[in-house]
Amino acid sequence: MALYNLPAHELGNKLRKKEVSSVELTRGFLNRIAEVEPEIGAFVTLCGETALESAALVDAKIGRGEPIAPLAGIAGAIKDILCIKGVKTTCSSHILDNFIAPYDATVIAKLKQNDAVFIGKANMDEFAMGSTTETSYFKKTKNPWALDCTPGGSSGGSAASVAAGEAAWSLGSDTGGSIRQPASFTGTVGLKPTYGRVSRYGCVAFASSLDQVGPITRDVTDCALVLNAISGHCEHDSTSYNLAAPDFTKALTPDIKGMKIGVPKEYFGAGLDKMVEEKVRGAIKHLSGLGAEIVDVSLPHTEYAVATYYIIAPAEASANLARFDGVKYGYRAPGCRNLIEMTVKTRTQGFGNEVKRRIMLGTYVLSSGYYDAYYNKAMKVRTLIIEDFKKVFGKVDILACPTAPTTALPLGSMLDPLSIYMLDVYTIPVNMAGLPGISLPCGFSGGKPVGLQLIGRALDEMSVLRAAYTYEQSAGFHKTAAPLGGVSA
Ligand code: GLN
């Protein structure tokens, strides 16, 4: 198999055995990008030069016989919502298209300490609002499994880059499903950690009570390695947990005997594609065959989750995005005579339609006449959703369900935003409750990957990873590389 199709941990072994150098590996990824990027469009900015410099430093370390960190010298793609000092951070928005980050996000600083190589900034939905990566100001990203389909979103560039062999691993962010759903659509592994497990400092805020940064990788082992590198308390993020993270690679043992896995009946209702249901039910059977005990459970408030999210997330977004007014960050509309005109024109010209829709929705639900009817009520329903999970986690260790109701959608789907919002029905509740959730491939439908979602108790990424690893090692879907349409694979 081509090196660019190998997971990061295998590439790391090759580096340590000196079978290949980090510069060679990085050049390999850059060549692969040159070959397939015109077709895939996963990146907004490429960092080839600095990537090769970081790679050379790792090679020098290896040459001196020094030990290297697990991800050292291995190229990753970073969602363009995360700040890398000196590199453009656009959030795929016109309003930030000339914004150069003045500091590193905590996750980036941590990865730098691990000598990771950043190959480029990945395309996304504008300000992470969307599920198809089509609201990007710059370009549409295509799905390496089906070039007429989207890779999902909002971390579509991160997921597509890994699936296409343009990066060995990537970082995404997940507010309502934006790591797990694109992972599901591209046959990759995507983990949204527990809220507070990973620092949000330097991740441009969308909805601060829901946002969480996490890995999108080729397999569960890489997922644990990236999570190890990025987790932990951060003094710049008061919502980050003040406790040491475990070594997540300890979860990588193929043993789930006696683990209780709940199957929530509300996650198999109307709107779920028949083939997706078949594959996910097949995976649950497989988990049972591996020794897990399958328990039927109910999360009765699931049906309200999407509506609740589309009040809370836009409310928080409307406050967070108030800072983009032409004064401090990014784009400023030219030729304005006063402050009000500058603010209005900058925001009118700088934001795309979906972002404007969210700002208007959010401002409306927070306005004094509607605050109680919408925002306050949504917060109460959020509590009911949290309680649902608390109850079932008294009975089971993890939950298993689909990640999304369909496989990858055709390009152009974002033309109907409301039906796109419904795609997040199985991922949003997990953000509402702040729980860890992973998506991993569990089969194909019409040549497109299907994602299995496993959800855990708060701070119990270990059980989620253990079950995911056990399933993956037995089922083996992570070994199939995306065909990339007519492009060589
Ligand atoms: N699709 C959802 C939205 O549009 C979730 C996005 C996300 O997780 N960033 O808001």
Side-chain angles (χ1 to χ4, degrees):
M1 199 185 266
L3 287 181
Y4 54 72
N5 274 331
L6 291 181
H9 61 95
E10 285 185 30
L11 295 176
N13 289 341
K14 288 189 183 295
L15 273 187
R16 270 175 282 272
K17 286 196 226 145
K18 300 192 183 163
E19 288 173 17
V20 66
S21 74
S22 176
V23 166
E24 281 163 353
L25 270 184
T26 308
R27 278 197 209 288
F29 280 111
L30 289 169
N31 289 340
R32 175 68 171 169
I33 288 171
E35 182 192 10
V36 303
E37 184 61 5
E39 201 98 33
I40 301 297
F43 290 98
V44 173
T45 303
L46 285 174
C47 311
E49 237 170 78
T50 45
L52 286 167
E53 280 166 25
S54 316
L57 291 176
V58 174
D59 286 339
K61 266 196 186 176
I62 296 171
R64 291 194 298 270
E66 290 173 26
I68 56 164
L71 289 173
I74 315 286
I78 306 298
K79 186 177 184 179
D80 207 19
I81 198 168
L82 290 159
C83 292
I84 304 181
K85 188 175 178 180
V87 178
K88 263 201 229 168
T89 298
T90 70
C91 281
S92 288
S93 179
H94 181 28
I95 212 160
L96 286 179
D97 61 3
N98 62 3
F99 175 70
I100 306 222
Y103 65 91
D104 281 330
T106 298
V107 289
I108 296 298
K110 282 177 178 279
L111 284 161
K112 281 185 176 173
Q113 281 159 17
N114 281 272
D115 292 322
V117 171
F118 307 128
I119 202 97
K121 303 296 292 288
N123 196 24
M124 53 184 278
D125 280 298
E126 186 179 2
F127 283 102
M129 297 172 188
S131 308
T132 63
T133 311
E134 291 173 296
T135 72
S136 165
Y137 173 67
F138 302 109
K139 53 167 99 166
K140 310 232 180 297
T141 299
K142 310 228 177 83
N143 190 317
W145 292 90
L147 296 174
D148 55 348
C149 287
T150 88
S154 63
S155 313
S158 303
S161 69
V162 172
E166 297 177 280
W169 56 273
S170 69
L171 287 187
S173 70
D174 191 314
T175 305
S178 281
I179 288 174
R180 290 159 289 158
Q181 183 257 33
S184 163
F185 283 9
T186 59
T188 50
V189 177
L191 175 86
K192 183 200 86 72
T194 306
Y195 183 79
R197 176 65 92 186
V198 175
S199 169
R200 293 181 294 109
Y201 180 70
C203 176
V204 179
F206 164 12
S208 311
S209 78
L210 302 161
D211 299 342
Q212 194 62 190
V213 179
I216 300 179
T217 54
R218 283 193 174 280
D219 65 14
V220 178
T221 303
D222 280 359
C223 198
L225 289 177
V226 177
L227 191 61
N228 268 356
I230 63 175
S231 312
H233 179 59
C234 166
E235 58 175 9
H236 301 299
D237 176 0
S238 58
T239 62
S240 75
Y241 275 102
N242 195 357
L243 39 90
D247 174 1
F248 294 105
T249 61
K250 295 248 159 67
L252 306 176
T253 50
D255 177 17
I256 50 164
K257 281 187 199 71
M259 187 184 266
K260 286 196 178 135
I261 302 184
V263 179
K265 68 167 190 269
E266 292 80 4
Y267 285 56
F268 292 85
L272 175 58
D273 178 274
K274 280 281 151 278
M275 275 299 276
V276 172
E277 172 164 9
E278 200 175 286
K279 297 295 166 190
V280 172
R281 288 210 189 270
I284 292 168
K285 220 179 192 164
H286 196 133
L287 287 164
S288 156
L290 292 168
E293 184 188 330
I294 308 299
V295 185
D296 288 328
V297 297
S298 170
L299 297 162
H301 295 95
T302 302
E303 64 172 305
Y304 305 111
V306 173
T308 309
Y309 171 87
Y310 277 98
I311 292 172
I312 294 172
E316 295 185 20
S318 72
N320 276 327
L321 270 58
R323 75 193 69 181
F324 303 110
D325 55 6
V327 176
K328 198 163 174 190
Y329 306 99
Y331 177 74
R332 175 182 296 175
C336 298
R337 283 157 304 179
N338 57 48
L339 187 65
I340 299 209
E341 189 185 333
M342 183 183 86
T343 308
V344 171
K345 282 204 174 148
T346 294
R347 288 168 71 81
T348 305
Q349 295 166 14
F351 289 133
N353 284 343
E354 185 59 27
V355 175
K356 285 180 189 156
R357 191 176 2 253
R358 308 281 177 116
I359 292 172
M360 285 188 274
L361 273 172
T363 311
Y364 179 80
V365 300
L366 289 175
S367 60
S368 60
Y370 296 100
Y371 187 91
D372 277 337
Y374 292 105
Y375 185 73
N376 244 350
K377 186 143 182 198
M379 290 303 279
K380 287 180 186 161
V381 178
R382 182 175 186 174
T383 303
L384 294 174
I385 292 167
I386 295 170
E387 295 295 325
D388 276 0
F389 281 110
K390 276 202 184 135
K391 274 180 212 149
V392 301
F393 280 125
K395 286 185 259 175
V396 299
D397 300 307
I398 61 165
L399 297 167
C401 58
T403 306
T406 65
T407 54
L409 300 173
L411 288 160
S413 301
M414 192 54 200
L415 294 174
D416 176 10
L418 204 58
S419 63
I420 289 290
Y421 292 174
M422 290 311 295
L423 282 184
D424 298 329
V425 54
Y426 307 140
T427 45
I428 277 175
V430 181
N431 300 75
M432 292 283 203
L435 307 174
I438 199 169
S439 177
L440 70 162
C442 69
F444 300 92
S445 166
K448 292 188 271 183
V450 176
L452 166 72
Q453 181 175 218
L454 303 173
I455 304 164
R457 297 186 183 100
L459 292 173
D460 191 16
E461 283 86 357
M462 294 297 272
S463 297
V464 170
L465 287 166
R466 184 151 63 90
Y469 181 76
T470 307
Y471 174 78
E472 171 193 85
Q473 293 301 306
S474 172
F477 291 113
H478 62 300
K479 294 206 173 122
T480 316
L484 265 82
V487 186
S488 65

